[in-house]
Amino acid sequence: MHAFDASAPLPTRLLTDPAMIAACAARDVGAVFRLAKTVGLYHSRIARLCEMTPSRVADYVEGRVCAQRHTVLERVADGLRIPGAMLGLAPRDWESARSRVSSQAGEYGTGEGSLPDPRLTRGLNPRSRTVRLGLFTQAVIETSRAVDIDIDTRGRAVVRVRENVHNLGAHPVTRLHHDFWFERTVGRFDVRLSHGVGSGDGQRLERLHDTSTLSKFVVCLPEPLTPGDTARIEYVCTGGVFDDRLFWRQTIARPTEQLWLRVRHRGPQRIDACTAVQEHHDGGETPVGTRVDRAPGVTELNVIRSHLMPGEALVLRWHRDEPPAR
């Protein structure tokens, strides 16, 4: 076990970088080492810190080997001072030591290595990987996001998004950035807030940039979202159209506890194939199971994923059973 060293090898700005968060979530030791090199840690230094040989570090960096053993991840976490939560490990012994000597960030004690204040995590599972990463990065997380896509017989779509956000940071939040994209649109492409049951009245949508297929906007909250508080946001997008390219790519902007993607495709043609993958920050992909329900005139596709990191995406593709050419 490494002795505690107050001067951590990796700066906080790198530990909170989406690329590092994604690499750790995927337990991609090679990607972690490559990112460490960007702040001046080279093979020999990484090798000493992580109790490896320089040639072994090079194997990870070049992608010739992958971490298979739990003990390797523990040595990487302890050597580079990466919090255990980021690598899916239990909190490391040095994390509690750091909390005694590090400065606290704000009233709620969300500084690096500090123990979470129960006021921040009320209503949440403090052992959740998403929650622990949100605490470390002092982020607003999405405890749930539901994306409901309804496609009519002409291919025109109405997309309803419902998200519950929770502030795990040290400061109140009043603005939440969003963007929405369609590959093809017809008529007016529009995004508007929908004040459903439980969503906050008085929310306001501020448009930042609009094109025929893209909308960047901010949801302005009527009252500051203070640390430990939750808000519900709902919005509806119209004008998108699906033709021969039937897919949906849901990008992840904030740590997300659970994502539910549902597509209802109406029409007489049968949906004969459906695939889904989770795209990782390093370019890797993980196949994802889907559920297909069929009824006369409509096919419903459902995908649910948990613990998604910024920079990742969930991609769903489906195909219609085209009638044979005459």
Side-chain angles (χ1 to χ4, degrees), residues 49-67:
L49 291 170
C50 299
E51 301 176 357
M52 300 180 184
T53 63
S55 62
R56 194 59 170 172
V57 171
D59 287 338
Y60 283 113
V61 170
E62 298 299 327
R64 291 189 288 268
V65 295
C66 297

Side-chain angles (χ1 to χ4, degrees), residues 31-265:
V32 170
F33 287 170
R34 289 192 293 273
L35 289 166
K37 289 177 63 178
T38 66
V39 293
L41 269 66
Y42 291 95
H43 292 188
S44 58
R45 173 69 170 153
I46 294 172
R48 287 196 300 272
L49 291 170
C50 299
E51 301 176 357
M52 300 180 184
T53 63
S55 62
R56 194 59 170 172
V57 171
D59 287 338
Y60 283 113
V61 170
E62 298 299 327
R64 291 189 288 268
V65 295
C66 297
Q68 300 290 337
R69 293 181 298 172
H70 205 71
T71 53
V72 173
L73 297 172
E74 290 177 337
R75 294 205 308 269
V76 171
D78 292 338
L80 299 182
R81 291 295 188 264
I82 298 174
M86 295 185 68
L87 286 162
L89 304 173
R92 314 306 298 154
D93 290 344
W94 53 264
E95 291 185 61
S96 59
R98 176 175 290 176
S99 69
R100 292 192 295 269
V101 300
S102 63
S103 60
Q104 300 299 303
E107 173 190 359
Y108 290 86
T110 56
E112 186 177 345
S114 63
L115 297 176
D117 189 297
R119 291 174 293 176
L120 273 179
T121 57
R122 59 178 177 266
L124 304 179
N125 176 11
R127 296 183 179 274
S128 160
R129 186 172 68 186
T130 305
V131 172
R132 289 161 66 186
L133 283 174
L135 286 166
F136 179 74
T137 58
Q138 299 187 32
V140 173
I141 69 169
E142 295 185 12
T143 56
S144 66
R145 170 181 282 255
V147 182
D148 197 336
I149 307 168
D150 200 313
I151 308 169
D152 68 16
T153 56
R154 299 175 298 169
R156 301 192 178 191
V158 176
V159 183
R160 295 176 175 85
V161 180
R162 301 180 301 279
E163 58 188 53
N164 290 303
V165 297
H166 190 103
N167 186 3
L168 290 175
H171 305 287
V173 173
T174 58
R175 296 162 58 86
L176 293 167
H177 287 257
H178 294 72
D179 60 63
F180 204 89
W181 173 83
F182 255 104
E183 183 180 51
R184 183 166 173 250
T185 58
V186 62
R188 183 186 178 191
F189 177 50
D190 187 42
V191 180
R192 66 182 186 277
L193 289 175
S194 172
H195 298 295
V197 176
S199 61
D201 291 334
Q203 293 176 359
R204 179 172 56 86
L205 188 145
E206 178 182 312
R207 300 182 186 278
L208 301 178
H209 179 69
D210 283 330
T211 70
S212 60
T213 59
L214 172 69
S215 179
K216 292 181 177 289
F217 58 95
V218 170
V219 175
C220 302
L221 304 177
E223 297 180 357
L225 185 66
T226 57
D229 281 347
T230 298
R232 183 180 178 91
I233 297 170
E234 298 187 18
Y235 53 94
V236 179
C237 305
T238 55
V241 63
F242 291 85
D243 44 25
D244 56 334
R245 288 171 55 82
L246 302 177
F247 77 97
W248 184 262
R249 187 174 190 271
Q250 183 65 48
T251 57
I252 305 302
R254 285 177 279 271
T256 301
E257 182 82 352
Q258 185 179 78
L259 170 64
W260 179 20
L261 177 59
R262 178 170 59 184
V263 177
R264 293 189 188 91
H265 200 145

